[in-house]
């Protein structure tokens, strides 16, 4: 009898949130023997800045990608097309048994589309999430990726319901938990050792070490969605109300390069600060920070304001109240069970919600089922089981 060939798994990552999701998958895949599986890690190069990419690989211990497509930034059509054009020869050459894509960024859709057209099964990690807002580029990426995937790994029950409603066959859907939380569970302890609180002036002066002592109260802000930062009036009005919140509690704002660029282009730098002293308040903007530093910062925050998806999930697990600066969420479990409140972008709603938290009325919440640090383990077990029996 001939020995079965190892299963070839091609894992795709392209943008910052992808790296946090592939880390536990790569970890798990690396525990398989070379007779069982061969893994190829491919970076599309959608995010290329040191702070958005290499730093995450280093901190999360992700192996160096064997291939980097180096597509860089560009308009959606061009970026997606570039990724497709450069990814196709890789698939033709390496002949994977499955292509694994994560999340909802342009790299996710582009690589899924190439694979399915070459008749290679696609596994989508974080399938089924829906904001029901088709003006969000990520919603289009989610809908289309799910429509062409063979393995749909959902992180929460709403994902399963959405896929069923869209007519996805039951045997393709697997509720496995949340890979982003696998990373959080693994790295939280080491994240708490970073010097970020001291570096950002949040520890009272004169304390002996970065890991000792309680920081002064602060909030954390992230904002990079086109709907919040691409129009001057919208961004200005958000910064106005955030500045008001910042009078009551200092706000740390590690800004995405896209947001930093908009702040400059719209001449809005006066609405934020770039440094402060102990007594200062307001919104302090910094460049993007590492995964560990950000986790540390979130874990000690009084609350978090964000338009990101993943941060709604991370704050739920950390038990830190989260105010989502969007009109909807594709992650309803963070509202139903977790610490998330979708406040939208109306200044009065933001102020009211922030004041409620400062008055001690922040949501407590609980960690959703299966967000237990073992999602990657379940995903790899299902993939290996199905692909080996199909071989
Ligand atoms: C992408 C994802 C978004 C995700 C976010 C996380 C899509 C459609 N969007 O948005 O879902 O929440 O990543 O960060 O895929 N830039 C740099 N350096 C980089 C990368 C980007 O300066 O390494 C700047 C460029 O000016 C670029 C802009 O950021 O044009 C936007 O980058 P892009 O990858 O198109 O989308 P993000 O806004 O990062």
């Amino acid at each position: 009898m001939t020995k079965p060939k190892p299963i070839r798994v091609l894992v795709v990552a392209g943008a910052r949130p992808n790296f946090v999701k592939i880390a536990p998958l790569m970890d798990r895949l690396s525990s398989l023997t070379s007779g069982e599986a061969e893994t190829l890690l491919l970076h599309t190069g959608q995010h290329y800045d040191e702070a958005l990419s290499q730093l995450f690989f280093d901190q999360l211990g992700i192996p160096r990608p064997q291939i980097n497509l180096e597509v860089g930034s560009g308009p959606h059509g061009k970026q997606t097309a570039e990724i497709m054009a450069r990814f196709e020869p890789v698939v033709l050459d390496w002949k994977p048994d499955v292509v694994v894509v994560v999340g909802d960024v342009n790299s996710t859709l582009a690589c899924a589309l190439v694979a399915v057209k070459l008749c290679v099964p696609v596994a989508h990690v974080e399938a089924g999430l829906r904001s029901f807002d088709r003006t969000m580029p990520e919603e289009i990426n989610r809908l289309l990726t799910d429509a062409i995937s063979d393995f749909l790994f959902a992180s929460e029950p709403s994902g399963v319901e959405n896929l069923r409603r869209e007519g996805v066959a039951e045997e393709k859907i697997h509720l496995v938990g949340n890979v982003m939380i696998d990373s959080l569970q693994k790295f939280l302890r080491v994240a708490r050792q970073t010097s970020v609180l001291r570096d950002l002036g949040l520890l009272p002066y004169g304390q002996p070490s970065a890991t000792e002592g309680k920081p002064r109260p602060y909030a954390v802000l992230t904002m990079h969605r086109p709907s919040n930062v691409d129009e001057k009036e919208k961004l200005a009005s958000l910064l106005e109300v955030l500045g008001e919140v910042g009078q009551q509690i200092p706000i740390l704002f590690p800004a995405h390069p896209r947001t930093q660029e908009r702040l400059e282009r719209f001449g809005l730098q006066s609405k934020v600060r770039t440094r402060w002293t102990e007594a200062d308040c307001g919104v302090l903007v910094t460049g993007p920070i590492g995964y560990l530093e950000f986790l540390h910062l979130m874990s000690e925050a009084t609350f978090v304001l964000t338009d990101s998806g993943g941060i709604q999930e991370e704050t739920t697990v950390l038990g830190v109240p989260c105010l989502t600066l969007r009109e909807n969420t594709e992650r309803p479990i963070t509202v139903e069970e977790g610490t998330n409140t979708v406040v939208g972008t109306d200044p009065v709603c933001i102020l009211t919600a922030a004041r409620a938290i400062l008055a001690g009325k922040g949501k407590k919440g609980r960690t959703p089922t299966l967000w237990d640090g073992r999602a990657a383990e379940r995903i790899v077990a299902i993939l290996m089981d199905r692909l080996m029996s199909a071989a």
Side-chain angles (χ1 to χ4, degrees):
M1 207 173 93
T2 54
K3 231 173 91 192
K5 284 207 303 225
I7 303 294
R8 297 194 132 195
V9 185
L10 196 162
V11 179
V12 172
R16 183 170 59 178
N18 289 174
F19 309 141
V20 186
K21 293 167 195 168
I22 61 150
L25 290 169
M26 292 304 296
D27 229 15
R28 195 66 200 165
L29 285 164
S30 73
S31 71
L32 302 174
T33 66
S34 57
E36 288 173 304
E38 282 175 20
T39 307
L40 180 85
L41 176 58
L42 177 137
H43 190 327
T44 63
Q46 178 175 344
H47 282 177
Y48 45 87
D49 276 5
E50 169 79 21
L52 296 192
S53 181
Q54 191 53 49
L55 184 56
F56 276 63
F57 278 78
D58 295 344
Q59 292 193 339
L60 290 155
I62 308 169
R64 200 185 161 77
Q66 285 106 313
I67 298 176
N68 190 325
L69 301 180
E70 294 181 351
V71 291
S73 301
H76 284 267
K78 183 165 185 298
Q79 187 180 56
T80 309
E82 274 300 334
I83 298 169
M84 290 182 70
R86 296 181 195 196
F87 185 56
E88 188 165 48
V90 176
V91 178
L92 285 169
D93 181 51
W94 200 65
K95 300 185 177 54
D97 294 300
V98 65
V99 168
V100 180
V101 295
V102 298
D104 54 15
V105 303
N106 287 343
S107 302
T108 310
L109 172 61
C111 294
L113 198 46
V114 166
V116 73
K117 291 229 174 169
L118 294 172
C119 300
V120 175
V122 175
H124 183 205
V125 176
E126 206 183 80
L129 297 181
R130 298 289 181 267
S131 66
F132 304 101
D133 173 3
R134 291 199 180 194
T135 65
M136 272 182 93
E138 294 81 4
E139 181 75 351
I140 305 300
N141 292 341
R142 289 190 280 259
L143 278 161
L144 297 182
T145 304
D146 285 342
I148 55 176
S149 290
D150 301 271
F151 296 89
L152 294 111
F153 294 114
S155 53
E156 61 168 84
S158 76
V160 174
E161 285 157 31
N162 293 331
L163 294 169
R164 281 187 185 142
R165 201 180 42 252
E166 288 167 19
V168 175
E170 200 61 38
E171 64 271 17
K172 292 184 178 180
I173 307 173
H174 310 274
L175 181 63
V176 290
N178 191 323
V179 281
M180 195 164 227
I181 302 308
D182 288 8
S183 283
L184 185 151
Q185 308 275 17
K186 179 170 173 191
F187 288 101
L188 183 58
R189 206 175 47 82
V190 331
R192 289 205 157 116
Q193 324 265 316
T194 75
S195 63
V196 70
L197 301 179
R198 170 165 303 277
D199 298 345
L200 292 173
L202 295 165
L203 283 180
Y205 288 117
Q207 280 198 356
S209 104
T211 55
E212 284 172 37
K214 269 277 235 211
R216 61 189 171 121
Y218 64 90
V220 175
L221 165 68
T222 80
M223 207 164 52
H224 70 280
R225 296 261 161 240
S227 59
N228 282 343
V229 305
D230 280 4
E231 273 171 40
K232 183 178 176 180
E233 288 68 32
K234 183 69 178 278
L235 182 56
S237 122
L238 278 165
L239 291 175
E240 190 70 38
V241 63
L242 292 165
E244 265 188 67
V245 176
Q247 294 309 308
Q248 294 164 51
I249 183 166
I251 301 180
L252 267 302
F253 181 17
H256 187 288
R258 155 195 210 100
T259 312
Q260 289 181 306
E261 193 271 332
R262 300 297 190 268
L263 284 172
E264 266 170 55
R265 194 192 319 165
F266 299 150
L268 293 172
Q269 296 105 317
S270 61
K271 303 250 182 216
V272 292
R273 291 161 189 252
T274 49
R275 59 188 193 88
W276 60 30
T277 57
E278 194 180 12
D280 271 341
C281 46
V283 179
L284 180 82
V285 71
T286 71
I289 60 176
Y291 175 70
L292 297 177
E293 287 78 9
F294 191 70
L295 202 50
H296 193 183
L297 203 56
M298 275 195 298
S299 72
E300 295 282 350
T302 304
F303 64 100
V304 173
L305 301 128
T306 190
D307 61 9
S308 145
I311 291 172
Q312 299 170 41
E313 302 180 331
E314 290 168 331
T315 44
T316 273
V317 174
L318 294 169
V320 172
C322 176
L323 300 180
T324 295
L325 305 173
R326 287 170 42 193
E327 305 303 331
N328 51 54
T329 178
E330 60 288 329
R331 293 160 160 91
I333 204 164
T334 60
V335 176
E336 290 150 15
E337 296 187 15
T339 57
N340 190 19
T341 308
V342 178
V343 284
T345 53
D346 178 69
V348 176
C349 297
I350 296 173
L351 261 183
T352 310
R355 284 197 185 124
I357 295 173
L358 290 171
K361 294 189 197 129
K363 280 176 85 172
K364 301 271 186 295
R366 62 168 188 267
T367 299
T369 317
L370 296 179
W371 290 20
D372 57 359
R374 299 181 58 188
E377 190 183 314
R378 296 187 190 99
I379 290 168
V380 171
I382 293 167
L383 281 178
M384 291 305 289
D385 180 57
R386 296 282 171 96
L387 293 167
M388 278 163 88
S389 50

